[in-house]
Structure formats: structure tokens, C-alpha cells
Amino acid sequence: MNQFFYKTFMFVSPVLLLVILNSLVYNKYGGDLSRVGMISVDPDYRKNLGFSDEYARPIYYENLSDINLQKELFYDILTVGDSFSEQKNYGYQNYLSEKDSTKVLHVDIKGNPIESLYQLVNGDFFDNIKVNYVILQSVERHFVERAIKLDSSIALKTQDIERIFESPTSSKKSSRKSVEIFSSDVIKSPLYYLLYHLDDNAFFSKVYRLATDSLLFSYGNDLLCYYEDIQKTPLNNDRDAVVILNNTLNHLAVQLAEKEIKLIVLPSPDKFDIYFDSLTDKENYPKPLFFEHLRSMKKKYLYVDSATILTQATKKEKDIYFYDDTHWTPIASKLIANNILEIINDYTAKANLSAQDTMASE
Amino acid sequence: MLFNSIDFAVFLPIVFFLYWYVFNKNIRVQNTLVFIASYVFYGWWDWRFLSLIAFSTLVDFLIGIGLAQPQHEKKRKILLWISISVNLGLLGFFKYYNFFLDSFATAFSFFGHSLQVDRLTIILPVGISFYTFQTLSYSIDVYKRKLTPTKDFFAFAAFVSFFPQLVAGPIERATHLLPQFYHRRTFDYHKSIDGLRQILWGLFKKVVIADNCAIYANQIFNNSDDYSGSTLVLGALFFAFQIYGDFSGYSDIAIGTARLFGFDLMQNFAFPYFSRDMAEFWRRWHISLSTWFRDYLYIPLGGSRGGTLMKVRNTFIIFIVSGFWHGANWTFVIWGALNAVYFLPLLLTKSNRRHLEVVAKGNTFPSPRELLNMSVTFSFTVIAWVFFRAESVQHAWSYLTRVFSWSLISKPQVIPKTTILLVIVFVLIEWIGRENRYAISDLGLKWRKPLRYAMYYVFMFAIIWHSGKEQEFIYFQF
């Protein structure tokens, strides 16, 4: 029996060693990129960024899941988006709703935001919920494909929305996973650590670790970005594909205009795009042209040129995006919120002028 | 607790240590440890489930003692029927109550009246289909005087709740497993090492093969309307390997774990996908269940004695009940009936016992005829699996209709190369080891130690690499 114990222990000891090693180096509190790429980050990194007040801000906007859809309600802005619209305390819509008593309602339904908005437009949602503006937000890497893989015919009625929020899965919170023994994390963490020295995405990782020539973040000299930022670049660089997106957005804008609602489109740039000019090996990667294409197209909607705003900001200060996450920081959220308000004010001013001109001519 | 979880990885060594180092001197204490450990194992899911298994254990223990008393045959029959009623009653209520209620309401609606039914929120206790059948085998064998009933409650309780096979089989016969609790077990080094090897292979089948195939099987089945016929074929194939890897993997882990404690469990899968006809398939797939139904249902009904009508009736009964055992859905019933349709021609033409030995025994490759027979049998099996996996009969029908459409002649829309390669490697290993109890039981034993250990490490790291995408064992839902 001793021989059995000895042999078994010797056989499993490499695994035990890996588990011990991982428990010492793996930080389960990192952002999405550090968790996916198994990249260890200082656990105090986020605390040291100076955003504690932003994380603790009260929430001024309302979520769709919290309101009574049967009542007639009035809001200035409705927001529909992906994870960039789920930043809560320090999300752009929270900064928006704090200013000038702007009432903001957020559609906290998961899925393709373009499709979600179509579903609301096609249904009876806007019969009771009156809004002046709709902000449609989507992350850059998925924006074009969301417009291509779209079913714009589905209608979501009020009772359908209520059923979505009654379903138990809608209240499930995702839990962060710590390293488990029976998990590929045990091998990936040390393996990726070694392989990142040989390849930008450690050959297998979904996270790229790219060298930069500037200090972009308070922590770390490299740029972490999600592999899809790079993988989707060819599609996003295809002008014809961006035309499809723009046409879809214009069509939505027309549909909303019929309900006297103005569409504002907010693309959230990928880190890879925003920081592309700072890469030391940029010649090895395709230059993103998505915003260049979209900027040049005729629009029936109001457009938030987030790429320009944030690229300029990166030249002035660090931590526009989180080092270890695909998402932007409160700095970016505030800039975006301010820009949206400027756009709305400009639009309102122009609309008033136009109305005055029309009255004058009559 | 799941076999491929940290909880079990901690639980098993503790129990192993206590079993062989602390409590090995006394058989009763050793059995009591198995009983307690098994209840901890089972209660880990939900402690409320323990009351059911305890109740079932107590009823059959007392009925066993009652059956041992010399008494009128009528009284013995009553006791037997009490056991059957209690066990099948528990199973029927927890598993089939809502199904029968819904089916009744649906049938009523055919007459133009809608019936409001109050469904109960019933949690299906894990493994209830397995342990109720196991305790039933005890009562029936005691009644038939094939087995002397035990007066040792802890030995009996340990037999019923024996943790390696409690939640997903093999469904052990009392005549085979219970006597093993009467004798003190002594540690056998080679048996334990073999047990570890079987556990390793079982984990490989479950984590590497089944869980990877499950990703694509689920993707394709859940969105079958969006895929071409060729893709749906791939989906069905992925499911075929998912269910085989999952279920036979669990059985291997169960058998291997039992061997660590000195117990021998029956083989539950004997390379069924290498079967040359459906009769052979059913001799190799879920052996413990099919033999249970054969011995306790098919033979008492008359078996294949009697006229053609009786044979047809008994065959349909056995396969439909077997299908129904798997779940409260008409898809399982149709799956069973389809297998009956496959099996009947062989039975009626007395060709059901043609292939009793393993295919291509002693040869490296199968003959062209054997290869054709295996391919045809496998194809029929996969068609039946579509019903097993589908959400509803309509879903299965629409799935198969799309398979047998012009879109079958197209490139599949989903081609996960890594998973396909893994399945091919897996099938090759299974083929090489098909004459053994499990595929790798003899693999590498004649190699040099470093090479053999390298092979084991490849399996282990493959298991760890693919862990984390865990899917629940399919047969836990039964």
C-alpha cells in the first residue's frame, strides 16, 4: 500500500505543484482581459487609479427592468447597448443623467443592441415610454457583424419584455471564477506566462499583449487587447460592410423619427484601434479603418465620434481604458457623456433655429 | 458531488485513507464507513435526497427479512409487491407525475376541452432511477430465493448507497455486489492501479470527448433550423459521442473507484459502437440496465418463448419501458420504440445471437463486411439518438427531415477540427483496446515505464486542459 501511495503521489505531484504555483500568482480580481489571458495583475491596481469616488457614485438613471411598463413614462434619453452600457456607477449614461436633470432610461436586455432596438421600435414599447433621444451603443469589433446578422422584423411587445425580466436567468449574476484544480487555468497560467515571451498572444491565448512606445497606463507598459479586436478588423475595414451598417442605422433613424425620436449612435472603439498608433510593431497588424469609413458616410442619425474624442484624450492622459480590461474608464465615460450633451444641445439649437426660420417664412 | 470536481478529489483520498488505514481491521466498521461516505457523497447534492434513499433502503431491508420467514406464498408475494410499489411509486412520483399530468391534459384537449392542471415543482433526486432498480433487484432475488436476505443493515445500506455507482450506475445486482460486503476486503496493489487507470480513461472520455462534443451537439441541436442537413448529421454524431463518452466515462470512473476499495462492479459498456447489428449493440450498451430489464421484465413476460405476437409484444414493452426509464418525455418513448423496430427483425429471424464475440477478434482491421455492418448499425443508432436528444417529437422530426433533404449534400457549416481529431483518436484507442474491459487496460503495459507514464501524463494534461467547460453528466437527469 505504501508503494501505491508513493507512486500515486509522485504521479499527481506535478499537478499539485501547478495548483500551488497558480494560487500564488493568479489574481482572480483582474479585469476581463487579465482573467481570459491568465495575466497576473497587481490586486491594488484599480484602487490606485484614483477612481474610488467614481465607483461609489450613486446611480441616477433607471433600468428598464425596474420600471412599470404599463404606465406612461417620460424620459429624455433611452440607452441601448452592450457591456459598455453596463458600467453602472461610472457608465456614460450615469454621467449623462446627473447633468441638467436629464432623465435616462437604460434597456438592460442582453443581446444584439441593434436588434433589440428594432424589436422595441416594431413593438408597442414607445406607445407608453416617451423619449426624445435613443443612444444606440455598440463595441466596434461587433458593430458591423451585428448589422449583418440581424433580424429586423421581430417585434417585442410590452408583455414580452415583462416576461424577459420575470425569467430567473435574467437575475443571475455572473460569478468570477477562481483557479480550480480541474480546470485548464492550472496549465494555462504558467504556460501563457512563458509563451507571452515568445508570441504576442502566447500562440493560444484570446488576449494579445502588444508592446507600445508610450506610457498609456499607470500600470504596465504593454497593451492588452482582445483577439477579436484584431480578428474582426478585416471585416470592419471592408467599406461595403460598413455601408451595410450605416444603411441599417439610417433605416433605424427614420423609423425612430416617425415616432419623433432622434437616434444617436455611439460606437465604442476597441482598445486595439484607439492605441494602434502607439504600437511598436504596428506593421505586423492591420490598421483599423472602421471609423475612417463610418465618418465619411452620410448619416440620418446623430453621431458620437468617440474614436476622435478618445484618441485625443490618450495623448493627454493615461488610463482612458483600463489596462487589464476591454472597457474604458470613468475618464472616457465622462468625455463621452459631455460630448453627447453637446451634440444634443447643438441639435436642439439647430432644430429651434430651423423652426423659427420656418415660422418666419410663413 | 461530481467525479470531475475538486470536492471529489478531496473526498476520495480521505475516504480511501480511512478505509484502508483506519477501519480495515473490522468488516462492519469498514462497511459503516462506506455507508457514511456514500451518504455524504449523495447528500452533497442536496441533503433532502437522503431521506428518500434511506426510506427505500429501510423498506427493502425489512421486506428482505420478512421474505426470509417461512410463510405462505401469498404473504411473500404481498411483501414483494410492497417493495415494488414503494420503489416504483417513488420513481413514478418524482420522475413522471408532471409528465402524466401534462399528457392527460393534452389528451383531454383532443376532445375540445382544456384542462387546467396544477403542476408540482418536483426536484428529481439524483440517481433515483438507479438505486430504486438496485434495491428492487434485491427484493426480487430474495423472493425468488436466489439470495439469502441480509440481517446486516449497514452492509445492506452500503450496498444500496455505494457511492461509486449510486447516481449513474452500473445498476448492480444484489447477487453480485451485496456478497462483496460480507467479506473483509484486503488491499490489492494491482487491482488499485488498474482502478486508477480506469478512472483516468473514464475522465478522459467524459472531460475531453463528451464535454467537447457537447458544445457542438448543443449548438447544433438548439439551433437546428439554422443549419444544413450535413451540419445536422455532424450534430447527431457529436451527440452520439457525447452520450457514449459521458455515460461510459462515468461507468469507468465508478468501476475504477470501486476497485480502489476492493470491489468489483459489472462492466456496463463493451464498445457498443463496434456492434455489427442492433442485437449486439444492446448486448454492449448500458449492459446493467438492459440485463435488468431482460431478467426482471422480459423473461417474466415470457421472453422470446411463445408465438410471434408475444415476441413482438414483449420486445416493444421492454424497449419502450427502457426508453421511458430514461425520461419523462415522448421522445424517449419513441427512441425506445425505434430500437424495438430495429431489434425485432433480428429476433423474428433468429439472428439476434449471431455476433457474440468482439468484432475482428485477434485482427488489426475489420473485414469489409464487418466494416459495413458496423457502419449501418451505427447509422441506425445515431438516427435513434436524434429522438433521445431532441426537445420534443416535433423537433426530432424536423431535425431528421432537414437531414434527409438536399442540404445534406453540402459542406457542414460547423467543422470543429480539434474536436473531430480528438474523436478520431478516441475511436482508434477504443478499437485497439476493444478486446479488454476498457480501452487502455492493457495499453502500454509492455512499454518501458517512461513511455507508459508519458502516455498517462498526456491523458491527464488533456483532461486538465479541457476541464472548466464542464457539462453535467447526462445520466444524472435519470
Side-chain angles (χ1 to χ4, degrees):
Chain A
M1 194 152 13
N2 289 338
Q3 190 191 11
F4 175 81
F5 263 117
Y6 173 75
K7 274 192 170 177
T8 309
F9 177 74
M10 291 308 291
F11 185 73
V12 302
S13 52
V15 176
L16 290 174
L17 268 169
L18 279 174
V19 171
I20 292 167
L21 197 68
N22 274 288
S23 65
L24 291 172
V25 300
Y26 183 66
N27 168 21
K28 63 179 178 175
Y29 297 110
D32 53 18
L33 290 173
S34 69
R35 280 180 279 119
V36 169
M38 304 295 298
I39 295 164
S40 195
V41 171
D42 180 353
D44 291 329
Y45 154 63
R46 289 203 177 209
K47 269 189 242 168
N48 296 339
L49 284 175
F51 294 142
S52 323
D53 290 341
E54 311 305 321
Y55 301 151
R57 293 175 78 248
I59 293 181
Y60 297 101
Y61 65 91
E62 290 175 69
N63 281 314
L64 190 60
S65 53
D66 295 328
I67 66 170
N68 182 352
L69 289 164
Q70 304 296 335
K71 285 165 67 171
E72 195 177 53
L73 297 165
F74 296 87
Y75 293 91
D76 297 299
I77 299 172
L78 180 81
T79 62
V80 186
D82 51 35
S83 54
F84 279 83
S85 296
E86 297 289 343
Q87 290 189 300
K88 301 198 189 323
N89 313 68
Y90 61 90
Y92 68 90
Q93 67 265 67
N94 203 30
Y95 289 108
L96 265 178
S97 53
E98 198 188 8
K99 295 196 190 279
D100 304 330
S101 314
T102 309
K103 279 193 75 179
V104 177
L105 175 67
H106 173 59
V107 176
D108 50 339
I109 294 177
K110 286 191 172 72
N112 179 344
I114 308 177
E115 199 167 90
S116 298
L117 187 51
Y118 261 114
Q119 289 170 1
L120 296 177
V121 167
N122 294 337
D124 59 1
F125 175 77
F126 290 108
D127 292 350
N128 275 354
I129 309 298
K130 309 292 184 193
V131 303
N132 296 322
Y133 298 91
V134 169
I135 298 176
L136 173 64
Q137 174 273 318
S138 169
V139 69
E140 177 188 346
R141 63 180 166 272
H142 292 310
F143 216 168
V144 170
E145 72 177 354
R146 280 171 173 163
I148 292 171
K149 292 180 190 176
L150 176 67
D151 186 348
S152 57
S153 62
I154 303 173
L156 208 60
K157 300 243 186 252
T158 303
Q159 58 256 43
D160 299 323
I161 300 171
E162 284 167 344
R163 233 174 274 133
I164 290 171
F165 292 124
E166 275 164 23
S167 133
T169 52
S170 70
S171 57
K172 235 186 193 172
K173 285 192 171 115
S174 64
S175 56
R176 292 183 169 190
K177 209 172 67 141
S178 57
V179 171
E180 295 170 16
I181 290 186
F182 279 108
S183 159
S184 53
D185 294 353
V186 162
I187 301 180
K188 277 183 184 169
S189 175
L191 185 66
Y192 283 5
Y193 177 80
L194 290 168
L195 293 179
Y196 270 123
H197 289 94
L198 302 172
D199 184 72
D200 286 344
N201 76 320
F203 300 104
F204 310 108
S205 174
K206 287 186 176 176
V207 173
Y208 276 77
R209 204 168 186 171
L210 304 170
T212 60
D213 56 19
S214 320
L215 275 174
L216 305 169
F217 307 98
S218 303
Y219 179 95
N221 292 333
D222 44 11
L223 172 70
L224 302 185
C225 64
Y226 196 50
Y227 80 107
E228 281 185 337
D229 289 8
I230 299 167
Q231 196 192 62
K232 304 279 183 189
T233 300
L235 174 66
N236 289 347
N237 283 358
D238 179 355
R239 193 181 167 83
D240 292 338
V242 182
V243 166
I244 295 173
L245 167 65
N246 192 52
N247 290 344
T248 305
L249 296 172
N250 283 338
H251 181 252
L252 249 179
V254 167
Q255 302 263 69
L256 284 166
E258 286 169 13
K259 297 179 194 295
E260 295 178 17
I261 300 170
K262 191 65 189 170
L263 176 65
I264 303 173
V265 171
L266 167 57
S268 304
D270 295 330
K271 277 173 88 174
F272 177 71
D273 191 339
I274 286 295
Y275 293 111
F276 181 80
D277 287 333
S278 301
L279 297 179
T280 50
D281 294 325
K282 57 170 93 52
E283 61 278 359
N284 294 335
Y285 293 96
K287 180 177 163 59
L289 299 171
F290 170 76
F291 284 100
E292 203 176 291
H293 292 326
L294 190 59
R295 226 175 264 130
S296 66
M297 292 177 188
K298 279 203 177 132
K299 303 173 183 64
K300 293 181 183 170
Y301 49 89
L302 298 173
Y303 174 63
V304 182
D305 192 355
S306 47
T308 305
I309 298 165
L310 297 179
T311 306
Q312 285 169 356
T314 60
K315 294 180 171 49
K316 293 179 196 160
E317 58 186 312
K318 293 187 272 192
D319 303 315
I320 302 301
Y321 280 70
F322 287 107
Y323 168 74
D324 60 348
D325 205 287
T326 52
H327 298 90
W328 58 42
T329 64
I331 299 174
S333 295
K334 276 188 224 172
L335 289 169
I336 296 293
N338 288 339
N339 187 256
I340 291 172
L341 280 171
E342 276 175 28
I343 288 171
I344 289 174
N345 289 338
D346 282 347
Y347 173 73
T348 312
K350 279 183 190 153
N352 287 339
L353 253 173
S354 172
Q356 281 169 9
D357 287 345
T358 310
M359 278 172 64
S361 64
E362 280 169 1
Chain B
M1 59 183 83
L2 293 175
F3 278 162
N4 55 323
S5 69
I6 180 63
D7 302 333
F8 188 70
V10 172
F11 169 86
L12 185 63
I14 293 173
V15 176
F16 183 84
F17 177 80
L18 290 172
Y19 185 85
W20 290 118
Y21 274 99
V22 179
F23 299 115
N24 61 324
K25 300 280 188 291
N26 184 306
I27 176 82
R28 293 202 95 181
V29 175
Q30 216 177 31
N31 288 341
T32 308
L33 172 69
V34 170
F35 161 63
I36 292 170
S38 300
Y39 270 58
V40 167
F41 177 87
Y42 192 58
W44 209 261
W45 266 285
D46 192 327
W47 60 269
R48 294 170 295 178
F49 294 166
L50 293 173
S51 55
L52 280 172
I53 191 173
F55 176 68
S56 178
T57 303
L58 193 62
V59 164
D60 286 303
F61 177 72
L62 293 172
I63 283 173
I65 291 175
L67 285 169
Q69 308 300 324
Q71 55 200 318
H72 203 268
E73 194 54 37
K74 201 175 174 185
K75 269 193 184 161
R76 296 184 83 241
K77 220 170 211 174
I78 291 170
L79 284 171
L80 175 67
W81 276 105
I82 291 173
S83 172
I84 292 172
S85 306
V86 165
N87 284 299
L88 293 185
L90 281 175
L91 188 60
F93 175 74
F94 282 95
K95 202 164 169 178
Y96 300 108
Y97 176 84
N98 284 328
F99 170 77
F100 282 121
L101 207 61
D102 291 340
S103 301
F104 182 70
T106 308
F108 219 76
S109 68
F110 285 135
F111 299 101
H113 301 286
S114 72
L115 196 65
Q116 279 294 102
V117 291
D118 286 324
R119 294 179 106 249
L120 295 179
T121 308
I122 300 174
I123 305 167
L124 179 65
V126 175
I128 191 169
S129 306
F130 293 89
Y131 70 72
T132 48
F133 271 43
Q134 190 150 309
T135 50
L136 262 178
S137 85
Y138 172 77
S139 307
I140 296 170
D141 285 347
V142 168
Y143 171 79
K144 287 182 175 176
R145 302 191 201 276
K146 279 187 184 175
L147 182 71
T148 311
T150 181
K151 287 191 180 143
D152 184 346
F153 178 74
F154 285 107
F156 181 72
F159 151 72
V160 173
S161 62
F162 190 41
F163 72 88
Q165 43 91 236
L166 172 60
V167 293
I171 302 171
E172 278 292 333
R173 300 299 179 84
T175 47
H176 180 243
L177 181 58
L178 186 55
Q180 295 182 60
F181 284 92
Y182 297 153
H183 310 291
R184 202 177 120 224
R185 278 75 60 186
T186 51
F187 183 78
D188 183 325
Y189 172 80
H190 294 286
K191 195 168 177 170
S192 297
I193 290 289
D194 186 59
L196 283 181
R197 243 195 321 267
Q198 195 160 5
I199 291 171
L200 184 69
W201 183 237
L203 282 171
F204 181 85
K205 281 161 122 177
K206 161 61 181 160
V207 174
V208 179
I209 302 301
D211 287 354
N212 274 301
C213 288
I215 294 168
Y216 301 102
N218 291 340
Q219 177 187 332
I220 294 169
F221 269 87
N222 294 344
N223 302 286
S224 52
D225 287 342
D226 298 338
Y227 290 114
S228 63
S230 55
T231 312
L232 297 183
V233 167
L234 260 187
L237 287 171
F238 280 131
F239 180 70
F241 283 101
Q242 177 196 349
I243 193 166
Y244 176 59
D246 191 285
F247 196 17
S248 68
Y250 185 95
S251 291
D252 279 330
I253 298 169
I255 294 166
T257 305
R259 285 172 82 75
L260 287 177
F261 294 89
F263 290 93
D264 286 312
L265 300 182
M266 65 182 295
Q267 188 183 21
N268 212 12
F269 290 85
F271 310 95
Y273 287 160
F274 298 144
S275 301
R276 286 153 287 187
D277 57 39
M278 288 309 290
E280 186 183 8
F281 177 82
W282 281 104
R283 280 196 297 278
R284 294 176 176 277
W285 178 275
H286 201 173
I287 299 167
S288 64
L289 180 72
S290 49
T291 52
W292 197 100
F293 277 124
R294 180 198 64 197
D295 294 341
Y296 297 114
L297 188 60
Y298 186 66
I299 291 173
L301 283 173
S304 33
R305 286 172 284 145
T308 305
L309 268 175
M310 195 183 224
K311 284 183 194 171
V312 171
R313 181 202 74 174
N314 292 344
T315 302
F316 267 100
I317 287 174
I318 209 82
F319 277 104
I320 286 173
V321 169
S322 174
F324 201 49
W325 175 91
H326 283 84
N329 194 318
W330 288 108
T331 52
F332 296 114
V333 176
I334 292 179
W335 169 79
L338 196 51
N339 275 283
V341 166
Y342 291 157
F343 184 81
L344 262 173
L346 296 165
L347 179 69
L348 296 175
T349 57
K350 296 193 169 108
S351 316
N352 56 312
R353 295 194 69 77
R354 270 186 309 185
H355 306 296
L356 296 177
E357 283 200 332
V358 72
V359 64
K361 186 167 180 169
N363 296 330
T364 308
F365 299 106
S367 67
R369 192 189 171 91
E370 282 171 336
L371 188 61
L372 178 68
N373 288 341
M374 285 193 289
S375 306
V376 169
T377 306
F378 183 66
S379 303
F380 280 132
T381 308
V382 171
I383 290 170
W385 282 138
V386 171
F387 283 92
F388 195 95
R389 172 58 180 82
E391 300 295 323
S392 65
V393 176
Q394 292 89 325
H395 181 211
W397 186 251
S398 123
Y399 193 103
L400 287 170
T401 311
R402 282 182 82 83
V403 166
F404 295 108
S405 66
W406 286 113
S407 63
L408 182 61
I409 312 165
S410 63
K411 187 178 166 188
Q413 293 150 282
V414 175
I415 310 180
K417 297 191 179 96
T418 309
T419 305
I420 291 171
L421 184 65
L422 283 171
V423 169
I424 291 170
V425 167
F426 168 66
V427 170
L428 280 172
I429 296 173
E430 288 263 297
W431 175 260
I432 292 166
R434 71 194 183 283
E435 296 186 38
N436 303 317
R437 284 173 297 108
Y438 60 96
I440 66 164
S441 71
D442 288 355
L443 187 64
L445 289 183
K446 292 184 181 152
W447 301 351
R448 285 176 192 246
K449 219 184 246 188
L451 191 59
R452 189 165 73 249
Y453 273 71
M455 178 186 71
Y456 296 148
Y457 272 114
V458 166
F459 284 135
M460 184 148 84
F461 281 103
I463 291 163
I464 295 172
W465 183 267
H466 288 277
S467 294
K469 305 170 213 168
E470 130 195 327
Q471 315 269 337
E472 201 173 70
F473 283 101
I474 294 179
Y475 268 72
F476 278 10
Q477 63 188 293
F478 308 136

